[in-house]
Amino acid sequence: MRNPFLACAAVVLTAAALAACGSSADGNDPEAAGAQRPVASGPAAPGPSATTATDPATPPTEEPADPGTSAPAATAEGPKTPADEITPATGTFTKKQKEYLKDRVPKGMDPAAVLQTGEETCAKLRYLVKADRDTAVGAIVTGEVPDAKDAVAGLCTQHQDLVDEASYGYPDGKHSGKKLRPGVYRSASPTADCSWQIEGAGGKELSSGASDTGKSRKITIPDSAVTFTSTGCYAWLPEGAAG
């Protein structure tokens, strides 16, 4: 399920990420130097649309191009450029940027283009967390903000708490086996068609529900749960550090 609030940020964040990548070539680390970032200007009440479109943010109504497509994927297959050979066309990379780029730059590719993907991810998280923390965590859970774990670890460590919480969350879909963890969860930015079902052994229904208001709901996944299925709820986040 997509989130229209993410779409509102796409154009602003693309420009910010491009500017950040350019400044890194001059040897300036945008995170460490406290460079100015876009101020949240999207809708005051974020939440996914009932319809879908492009990535990482969504509704099909005149959505701008996905900013993630402006640079190649950081995990491209093939031989990588050795760390001691990673240099920008002009200027220098900071130590933090070099660490992020290690083993991530395919042979023959401009490392600044790979760095751009990580800086775009950090810019998206900065934008989202200022306006609504649950939406930021939910975007990591659903994968609408890609490469978040690596980008945060290497470029914007101040958002590590978002990644940690997201690791315990559930996107829409069917979950079972070892991925199913007992605990209390709340829905992040659900649609008006949010519904869920929890089943035990033999397909016995333990609980189910729906929300037609678009407001967050809480559920409990018991120890006896075997499967948990969610539709239209966008993402479920844990109540407490580990659900």
Side-chain angles (χ1 to χ4, degrees):
M1 185 59 63
R2 310 290 187 169
N3 195 312
F5 184 66
L6 295 174
C8 296
V11 174
V12 176
L13 293 174
T14 300
L18 288 171
C21 189
S23 65
S24 69
D26 293 329
N28 298 319
D29 179 1
E31 289 292 324
Q36 292 297 316
R37 297 296 181 179
V39 178
S41 58
S49 169
T51 54
T52 60
T54 54
D55 196 299
T58 54
T61 56
E62 298 297 326
E63 174 154 27
D66 175 9
T69 61
S70 59
T75 56
E77 297 297 329
K80 302 298 191 294
T81 302
D84 58 357
E85 296 179 15
I86 297 176
T87 55
T90 60
T92 59
F93 288 131
T94 65
K95 181 179 179 181
K96 186 162 59 174
Q97 291 168 340
K98 288 180 179 178
E99 291 175 352
Y100 173 76
L101 291 171
K102 184 178 179 181
D103 297 326
R104 300 178 68 83
V105 182
K107 280 278 191 179
M109 182 178 290
D110 181 1
V114 178
L115 178 62
Q116 180 183 326
T117 64
E119 292 183 334
E120 284 176 346
T121 294
C122 289
K124 291 170 188 174
L125 292 177
R126 274 194 303 273
Y127 184 101
L128 292 172
V129 77
K130 283 183 179 180
D132 185 75
R133 189 180 187 282
D134 276 3
T135 297
V137 178
I140 299 174
V141 171
T142 61
E144 289 192 315
V145 175
D147 193 35
K149 182 178 179 180
D150 289 339
V152 167
L155 298 173
C156 46
T157 55
Q158 71 270 29
H159 296 315
Q160 186 62 49
D161 62 319
L162 304 181
V163 173
D164 292 343
E165 183 175 346
S167 68
Y168 292 99
Y170 295 100
D172 276 335
K174 187 174 183 179
H175 309 278
S176 60
K178 294 181 179 179
K179 294 182 178 180
L180 197 61
R181 297 175 298 273
V184 178
Y185 297 83
R186 65 185 183 280
S187 53
S189 302
T191 71
D193 296 315
C194 172
S195 63
W196 62 90
Q197 184 177 40
I198 301 173
E199 296 179 341
K204 179 182 178 181
E205 182 178 297
L206 301 179
S207 65
S208 63
S211 174
D212 59 2
T213 63
K215 294 182 179 180
S216 180
R217 296 289 297 274
K218 287 186 179 182
I219 61 170
T220 298
I221 298 179
D223 292 332
S224 57
V226 174
T227 63
F228 166 49
T229 305
S230 170
T231 303
C233 302
Y234 186 56
W236 294 88
L237 310 182
E239 287 285 294

